[in-house]
């Protein structure tokens, strides 16, 4: 399908209509004004055109912006306005019988278009809602990670009651004070072992397991209060038995023994945290020479740990970024105490640019003198990929929406222009829209990425009796590109409709043979995708005197979309249609 540039104006207008709830009465007023304006334009400037044609784009836009009910209302109002402009008082019922028939057909067709546009509006709304939910979920996930990080950096110190899964259900008032808990609800239900790190966590899990088995357990460990004050604890854990003598809850009593252990453990804990962190952690001297990187840092930028002492801060960035870090970021750290923002790291081995959240802080000695810079940096590649994917999805949805609307408008205009009368136009347009709907169903099942030719054929030909009786289809598995699916579905519909009216399916004995194949070939053009439609046993074929929408659509549309030769032959034995296209233009090669 031809690419259509995304219209930011339409996107913003549709997004605005979804964000702002427009009352039905207001929507009907807007629709009324729009339809009357279109009616005036038609009456003043294009009076010679079919009276209902100009109203179709207006109905489409109204239904897309204001919803199904307003779109159907606009369809009915459009028929009334058109009727007023073409009727005459000399007619008993204002309109002639053909005009009444045309008005009724227009209302039915326009209402169907309004329903389809409303469904497209709903799909856009669902995509917007999913995008918002994804953003909210990302924010919630970030908040949850921050909360869990805070919990893991803290611990408990008091009398606590846990459930058998180790979750905190009660903490004494004195315990909340010593643990510096300002709101118990913030930690209620949290797994108690998560308040411990490293070996303390292992000991806490073992203590819970022992209590669940009816045994007491004790251990010594180090943890921080809710306010972040580091302390050492002696912890005694024992089961709380129920009436049946089995453990129902777990009692944990923690005693502060910080005085004798604080300084030694503090240093060891810090080292373990830094070494085991998944974030990039590094320290450099004032001259920019690096003297410490954790394992995660070396892995992120592809640096050999043995080369740490030979690199400078500027080596981690591309030239432009390095200049900004040296002239803007480091002076800001000295001046303001820290700096945080997005930057690009440079992979030492591959040269890949790595988006990161770069946080820099000063490193000082015991008297506060600046001696270097430290950084905790987080890899932002996944976040960037997610953002790019979201933008791609939004653009793809807008592209597909515009393509479908363009096809609908083109089919409607061509059908009304080529039809002999409005009744035939209404029936033809309805059938073509059904065929278009079936094709979009096949594409939607594959997220608009591709369509199975066999399934598309079965759906397109189902209204004409389906496959296996008088319509025979065969061919290898082929996955069509989305750009050509709608065009081929409409072509099959037109061929089957023509066969039912004038060809092999118009009598009781005729047969239709549809086949497709892939010709590997050895010519410079490469492999070819071949489609053959052959009718037998029908009435004698007479070439038409006038080319209608069907034949023009089949030949011109397929030639354009498939970059192919498409030809209809009116043989006396039956109509034959052949399509010869480059395989790469028609199918997902290698899929």
């Amino acid at each position: 399908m031809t690419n259509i540039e995304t219209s930011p104006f339409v996107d913003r207008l549709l997004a605005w209509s979804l964000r702002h709830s427009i009352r039905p009465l207001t929507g009907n007023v807007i629709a009324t004004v729009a339809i009357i304006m279109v009616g005036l334009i038609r009456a003043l400037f294009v009076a010679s055109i079919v009276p209902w044609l100009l109203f179709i784009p207006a109905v489409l836009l109204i239904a897309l912006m204001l919803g199904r009910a307003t779109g159907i209302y606009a369809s009915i109002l459009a028929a009334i306005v058109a009727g007023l402009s073409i009727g005459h008082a000399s007619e008993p019922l204002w309109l002639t019988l053909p005009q009444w028939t045309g008005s009724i057909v227009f209302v039915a067709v326009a209402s169907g278009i309004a329903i389809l546009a409303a469904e497209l509006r709903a799909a856009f709304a669902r995509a917007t809602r999913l995008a918002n939910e994804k953003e909210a979920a990302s924010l919630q996930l970030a908040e949850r990670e921050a909360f869990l990080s805070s919990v893991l950096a803290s611990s408990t110190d008091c009398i606590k009651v846990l459930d058998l899964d180790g979750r905190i259900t009660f903490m004494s008032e004195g315990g909340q004070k010593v643990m510096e808990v300002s709101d118990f609800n913030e930690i209620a239900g949290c797994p108690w072992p998560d308040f411990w790190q490293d070996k303390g966590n292992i000991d806490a899990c073992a203590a819970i397991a022992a209590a669940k088995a009816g045994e007491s357990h004790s251990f010594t460990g180090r943890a921080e209060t809710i306010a972040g004050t580091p302390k050492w604890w002696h912890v005694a854990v024992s089961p709380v038995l129920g009436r049946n003598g089995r453990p129902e809850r777990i009692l944990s009593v923690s005693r502060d023994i910080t005085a004798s252990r604080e300084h030694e453990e503090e240093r060891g804990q810090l080292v373990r945290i830094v070494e085991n962190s998944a974030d990039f952690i590094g320290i450099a001297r004032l001259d920019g020479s690096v003297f410490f990187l954790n394992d995660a840092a070396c892995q992120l930028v592809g640096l050999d740990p043995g080369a740490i002492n030979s690199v400078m801060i500027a080596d981690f960035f591309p030239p432009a970024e390095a200049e900004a870090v040296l002239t803007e970021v480091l002076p800001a750290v000295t001046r303001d105490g820290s700096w945080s923002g997005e930057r690009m790291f440079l992979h030492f081995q591959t040269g890949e640019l790595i988006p990161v959240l770069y946080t820099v802080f000063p490193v000082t000695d015991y008297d506060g003198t600046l001696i270097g810079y430290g950084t905790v940096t987080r890899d932002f590649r996944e976040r960037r990929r997610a953002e790019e994917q979201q933008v791609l999805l939004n653009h793809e949805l807008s592209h597909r929406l515009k393509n479908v609307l363009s096809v609908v408008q083109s089919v409607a205009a061509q059908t009304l222009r080529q039809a002999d009368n409005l009744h035939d136009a209404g029936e033809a347009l309805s059938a073509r829209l059904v065929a278009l709907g079936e094709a979009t169903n096949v594409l939607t099942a594959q997220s608009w990425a591709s369509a199975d030719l066999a399934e598309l054929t079965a759906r397109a030909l189902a209204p004409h009796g389906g496959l296996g009786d008088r319509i025979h289809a065969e061919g290898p598995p082929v996955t069509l590109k989305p750009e050509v699916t709608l065009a081929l579905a409409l072509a099959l519909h037109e061929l089957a409709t023509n066969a039912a009216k004038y060809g092999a399916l118009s009598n009781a004995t005729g047969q239709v043979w549809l086949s497709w194949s892939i010709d590997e070939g050895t010519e410079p053009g490469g492999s070819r995708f071949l489609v053959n439609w052959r009718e037998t046993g029908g009435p004698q074929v007479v070439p038409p005197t006038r080319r209608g929408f069907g034949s023009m659509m089949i030949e011109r549309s397929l030639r354009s979309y498939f970059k192919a030769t498409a030809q209809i032959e009116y043989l006396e034995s039956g109509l034959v249609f052949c399509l010869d296209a480059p395989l790469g233009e028609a199918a997902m090669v290698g899929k």
Side-chain angles (χ1 to χ4, degrees):
M1 192 170 291
T2 304
N3 290 330
I4 297 178
E5 293 294 331
T6 300
S7 171
F9 173 76
V10 175
D11 288 347
R12 289 194 296 269
L13 186 60
L14 183 55
W16 181 91
S17 71
L18 293 173
R19 290 195 305 269
H20 297 80
S21 178
I22 300 177
R23 292 181 296 178
L25 179 59
T26 304
N28 288 342
V29 170
I30 295 173
T32 301
V33 172
I35 293 300
I36 291 176
M37 290 181 63
V38 173
L40 291 174
I41 293 172
R42 196 210 69 80
L44 294 175
F45 302 103
V46 286
S48 62
I49 200 168
V50 177
W52 303 277
L53 182 59
L54 285 182
F55 292 95
I56 290 179
V59 171
L60 271 172
L61 186 60
I62 289 170
L64 192 61
M65 295 296 105
L66 301 176
R68 177 184 301 179
T70 306
I72 295 176
Y73 164 78
S75 301
I76 298 173
L77 181 61
I80 294 173
V81 172
L84 290 174
S85 69
I86 63 174
H88 197 276
S90 62
E91 293 294 332
L93 298 177
W94 185 258
L95 300 176
T96 65
L97 180 59
Q99 289 172 337
W100 276 110
T101 302
S103 296
I104 293 172
V105 170
F106 169 77
V107 170
V109 173
S111 296
I113 293 174
I115 292 172
L116 177 60
E119 290 300 320
L120 293 173
R121 167 188 170 86
F124 187 92
R126 287 192 294 272
T128 302
R129 187 183 69 253
L130 289 174
N132 292 335
E133 290 175 354
K134 182 176 181 180
E135 182 178 358
S138 297
L139 292 175
Q140 184 179 5
L141 179 59
E143 293 173 355
R144 179 174 176 82
E145 288 179 348
F147 173 74
L148 291 177
S149 176
S150 176
V151 170
L152 290 173
S154 308
S155 187
T156 59
D157 173 24
C158 57
I159 299 174
K160 302 166 293 296
V161 177
L162 317 175
D163 62 19
L164 293 180
D165 292 325
R167 291 189 291 263
I168 300 173
T169 61
F170 170 80
M171 179 180 291
S172 65
E173 183 176 348
Q176 293 185 41
K177 291 180 180 179
V178 74
M179 278 293 297
E180 300 178 309
V181 177
S182 59
D183 184 1
F184 174 69
N185 291 327
E186 294 181 357
I187 62 172
C190 295
W192 177 61
D194 287 352
F195 287 83
W196 298 89
Q197 299 177 358
D198 302 320
K199 185 176 182 300
N201 180 270
I202 297 173
D203 289 338
C205 292
I208 290 175
K212 291 171 66 175
E215 300 175 357
S216 297
H217 188 84
S218 63
F219 66 95
T220 298
R222 181 180 179 278
E224 296 179 353
T225 66
I226 297 301
T229 304
K231 294 185 179 181
W232 277 89
W233 315 94
H234 178 270
V235 184
V237 179
S238 58
V240 178
L241 304 180
R243 293 182 179 180
N244 57 4
R246 295 181 179 177
E248 286 188 348
R249 296 178 184 274
I250 300 172
L251 177 66
S252 171
V253 180
S254 304
R255 178 170 296 178
D256 184 359
I257 58 169
T258 304
S260 61
R261 299 287 303 268
E262 183 173 2
H263 298 294
E264 178 183 353
E265 181 58 25
E266 185 176 282
R267 294 179 181 178
Q269 183 71 12
L270 178 60
V271 171
R272 289 193 293 272
I273 290 175
V274 170
E275 290 179 346
N276 296 327
S277 175
D279 290 332
F280 179 111
I281 298 178
I283 304 176
R285 301 178 182 89
L286 288 178
D287 64 0
S289 59
V290 176
F291 67 88
F292 172 80
L293 290 175
N294 66 351
D295 291 342
C298 292
Q299 292 174 5
L300 179 64
V301 298
L303 178 65
D304 184 351
I308 290 176
N309 293 326
S310 64
V311 296
M312 305 290 289
I313 292 177
D315 296 333
F316 291 87
F317 303 92
E321 291 273 334
E323 179 68 19
V325 169
L326 296 177
T327 60
E328 299 175 14
V329 174
L330 297 185
V333 173
T334 304
R335 181 182 66 251
D336 302 328
S338 66
W339 188 94
S340 182
E342 292 192 37
R343 288 294 178 187
M344 287 287 185
F345 272 180
L346 186 67
H347 196 279
F348 281 81
Q349 302 297 326
T350 65
E352 175 192 0
L353 293 178
I354 306 170
V356 296
L357 177 61
Y358 186 54
T359 301
V360 189
F361 53 88
V363 177
T364 61
D365 62 10
Y366 66 93
D367 61 358
T369 301
L370 181 66
I371 61 173
Y373 303 98
T375 179
V376 177
T377 299
R378 179 157 296 179
D379 186 353
F380 258 27
R381 282 177 293 187
E382 287 301 323
R383 176 173 173 176
R384 284 287 181 86
R385 292 189 190 103
E387 292 173 350
E388 292 171 358
Q389 180 67 15
Q390 186 60 53
V391 171
L392 178 63
L393 289 175
N394 289 340
H395 289 174
E396 181 69 10
L397 175 62
S398 178
H399 171 70
R400 298 304 179 193
L401 180 64
K402 298 293 176 31
N403 278 355
V404 171
L405 289 176
S406 175
V407 172
V408 170
Q409 187 171 10
S410 175
V411 169
Q414 290 290 340
T415 300
L416 293 175
R417 190 177 296 119
Q418 295 291 331
D420 293 328
N421 56 70
L422 291 176
H423 180 270
D424 291 346
E427 291 185 350
L429 181 56
S430 295
R432 286 162 182 161
L433 290 178
V434 169
L436 180 62
E438 292 297 332
T440 57
N441 286 340
V442 176
L443 285 170
T444 301
Q446 297 296 325
S447 301
W448 284 81
S450 61
D452 180 71
L453 178 54
E455 181 181 358
L456 179 69
T457 299
R459 292 202 181 201
L461 299 180
H464 305 280
L467 304 178
D469 183 13
R470 299 177 62 192
I471 303 177
H472 310 278
E474 62 178 1
V478 174
T479 302
L480 295 176
K481 291 184 174 180
E483 293 85 353
V484 303
T485 298
L486 296 181
L488 184 58
L490 288 174
L492 292 176
H493 165 75
E494 295 298 329
L495 287 169
T497 300
N498 181 76
K501 288 183 177 180
Y502 317 108
L505 300 181
S506 65
N507 60 21
T509 60
Q511 303 282 318
V512 173
W513 305 87
L514 171 63
S515 63
W516 62 87
S517 61
I518 297 176
D519 183 3
E520 300 295 341
T522 58
E523 297 184 5
S527 300
R528 310 291 296 180
F529 174 63
L530 308 177
V531 178
N532 182 271
W533 173 286
R534 181 168 52 87
E535 300 180 19
T536 61
Q540 182 176 352
V541 175
V542 177
T545 59
R546 181 175 68 90
R547 293 175 62 81
F549 169 77
S551 59
M552 288 192 297
M553 189 280 295
I554 291 172
E555 292 184 344
R556 295 179 183 176
S557 178
L558 294 187
R559 287 172 185 168
S560 173
Y561 283 112
F562 283 86
K563 306 295 188 295
T565 58
Q567 184 177 5
I568 298 177
E569 297 185 64
Y570 298 94
L571 305 180
E572 291 186 2
S573 59
L575 181 144
V576 175
F577 165 71
C578 297
L579 173 71
D580 184 351
L583 180 61
E585 297 290 340
M588 308 291 285
V589 179
K591 298 293 183 181

